[in-house]
Amino acid sequence: MTPFDAFAPSAAPSLRTPGLVDGFGRAVTYLRVSVTDRCDLRCVYCMAEQMTFLPKAEVLSLEELDRVSSAFIEMGVRKLRITGGEPLVRKGVMALFERLSRHLANGDLKELTLTTNGTRLAAFAADLARLGVRRINVSLDTLKPDLFRRLTRGGDVRQVLAGIEAAQAAGLAVKINTVALAGDNAAEIPHLIAWAHGRGMDLTLIETMPLGETGEDRTDQFLSLKTVRQELESYWTLSELGHNTGGPARYVRIAETGGRLGLITPLTHNFCESCNRVRLTCTGTLHTCLGREDASDLRAVMRAGASDEDLKAAILNAIDAKPEGHDFHIERGSAPALVRHMSTTGG
Ligand code: SAM
Ligand code: SF4
């Protein structure tokens, strides 16, 4: 089979309604693009200490990243998140932001955003703001220098704090993402929430997901957000917010801090019926469901010389086949449910 067979005219689904709509009638309006599998940190739940990164030739060029992202935007994607690996370690990433910002200028794209570990944010925050980025997510699991160094296997929390400060000074709204880890940051979670809310930042807690081999037993790291929520409710007043992003996050307001708390519980909550998102890896593989092994190779399509129309037909075919739902499991001592790492897929 050649890369072109997937979008032969007979196989191409018709557009039922304008935009990207999957076989279950869900509009796909949100694309996450991983621009590199590399990272300057080695978070214990995300990567192994010794990682073998991909050869450069396998990773999409900046031109290919722009081309494929632009095709999605022309087809109906309204929100684009650049992620990784660590997106700010990708050489030339600001040139990509610059090119993508044309879609903000003409109104096709409503939001261009970024998920980062923050270590290089101090250098890039002003440029991101200038190019139309309004909100960013910064991942931070602890404020304690020693614990940060251990959880990231060598990172310096002061760099991240300086990055957050620079982002806020540049006018970017910052949301903190915190992975809840039993025994590591469990006791610090209320402090992190109060710290973020005190600085005008939302905070979202994430349950660990069994993605990729990391050399750590994730059944020991897993902390149920149901437990965390119960504890928070023993001293704070949490009220449910209707706010739904089409993703796995649920939001509550904390009366005492005045801030918003997100809870991402992919293992205990079924959010698939409202799923509006797909992910593109840095090698150009499109995953239409985080929890399944479905994949379409858009790099092969592009490198085989496809026209823009052919590329869009391949995207449509992949979206049409988006699975109805996912199926994660963590069982003690078991292998990860999915072999790919979050850093490849893009978190
Ligand atoms: N390097 C950037 C960062 O850390 O924000 C972007 C990529 S990172 C893979 C995106 C998000 O995925 C981070 O918030 C990280 O904490 C989260 N993450 C990574 N591995 C995870 C796992 N196994 N379970 C849950 N969240 C994970
Ligand atoms: Fe790097 Fe982000 Fe993964 Fe941490 S979570 S190792 S910062 S990609």
Side-chain angles (χ1 to χ4, degrees):
M1 175 164 156
T2 73
F4 289 98
D5 291 342
F7 50 83
S10 58
S14 63
L15 269 181
R16 281 165 290 267
T17 50
L20 272 177
V21 180
D22 74 6
F24 297 94
R26 295 168 297 192
V28 173
T29 54
Y30 182 7
L31 173 68
R32 297 189 184 208
V33 179
S34 172
V35 297
T36 180
D37 62 327
R38 288 164 199 262
C39 187
D40 52 345
L41 302 180
R42 294 286 183 281
C43 301
V44 291
Y45 47 77
C46 178
M47 291 195 183
E49 191 152 16
Q50 303 298 331
M51 289 290 288
T52 309
F53 292 112
L54 293 163
K56 204 174 158 205
E58 289 197 24
V59 176
L60 294 187
S61 67
L62 295 175
E63 289 72 21
E64 287 170 326
L65 286 165
D66 177 37
R67 181 179 178 205
V68 66
S69 303
S70 297
F72 273 97
I73 294 165
E74 284 163 24
M75 294 172 81
V77 159
R78 295 290 164 257
K79 177 172 174 180
L80 185 67
R81 179 177 299 281
I82 303 295
T83 179
E86 173 47 40
L88 297 182
V89 304
R90 173 78 197 252
K91 213 169 154 205
V93 72
M94 294 314 289
L96 179 65
F97 275 98
E98 184 128 36
R99 290 165 85 145
L100 292 172
S101 68
R102 72 185 184 279
H103 299 293
L104 288 172
N106 71 15
D108 283 350
L109 190 62
K110 300 289 173 236
E111 189 174 2
L112 176 60
T113 185
L114 168 77
T115 299
T116 174
N117 65 25
T119 58
R120 303 198 174 182
L121 200 48
F124 292 115
D127 278 340
L128 288 168
R130 179 177 60 78
L131 295 172
V133 174
R134 296 284 164 258
R135 303 189 300 170
I136 61 169
N137 289 355
V138 180
S139 305
L140 181 62
D141 302 330
T142 178
L143 293 167
K144 298 177 184 166
D146 289 354
L147 182 57
F148 186 86
R149 202 172 308 117
R150 181 162 69 75
L151 288 179
T152 60
R153 301 192 182 102
D156 180 355
V157 74
R158 288 171 306 181
Q159 290 179 338
V160 182
L161 298 178
I164 292 171
E165 212 167 289
Q168 290 194 303
L172 298 172
V174 178
K175 180 164 79 72
I176 303 294
N177 279 347
T178 302
V179 176
L181 298 161
D184 287 322
N185 65 359
E188 195 188 345
I189 287 173
H191 177 64
L192 273 163
I193 296 170
W195 169 83
H197 289 179
R199 282 163 180 74
M201 301 184 283
D202 290 340
L203 184 142
T204 292
L205 293 171
I206 308 173
E207 266 176 7
T208 49
M209 285 185 267
L211 297 173
E213 202 50 73
T214 61
E216 311 267 335
D217 183 351
R218 265 179 282 220
T219 48
D220 290 341
Q221 293 174 322
F222 183 75
L223 172 62
S224 158
L225 291 189
K226 204 170 155 197
T227 313
V228 175
R229 188 179 170 148
Q230 276 166 358
E231 197 206 311
L232 297 178
E233 280 177 325
S234 70
Y235 42 83
W236 280 339
T237 319
L238 275 51
S239 53
E240 215 70 45
L241 292 171
H243 186 81
N244 183 353
T245 57
R250 296 287 172 273
Y251 291 92
V252 295
R253 172 86 54 202
I254 301 182
E256 290 77 3
T257 62
R260 200 163 61 166
L261 175 70
L263 301 150
I264 300 190
T265 53
L267 297 163
T268 53
H269 219 290
N270 197 329
F271 53 89
C272 304
E273 68 284 350
S274 62
C275 181
N276 61 356
R277 60 199 58 197
V278 293
R279 294 171 171 80
L280 188 73
T281 68
C282 58
T283 57
T285 301
L286 181 67
H287 292 290
T288 56
C289 177
L290 182 60
R292 290 196 179 267
E293 293 286 4
D294 71 293
S296 308
D297 187 354
L298 298 181
R299 182 186 67 189
V301 174
M302 287 191 281
R303 293 190 181 174
S307 68
D308 285 348
E309 287 318 302
D310 292 339
L311 174 60
K312 286 179 183 171
I315 292 172
L316 256 181
N317 264 313
I319 298 292
D320 194 59
K322 181 168 157 66
E324 188 171 14
H326 71 200
D327 191 17
F328 284 121
H329 295 290
I330 297 188
E331 276 163 33
R332 191 159 278 277
S334 68
L338 292 177
V339 287
R340 60 182 193 252
H341 285 93
M342 190 75 140
S343 51
T344 318
T345 321

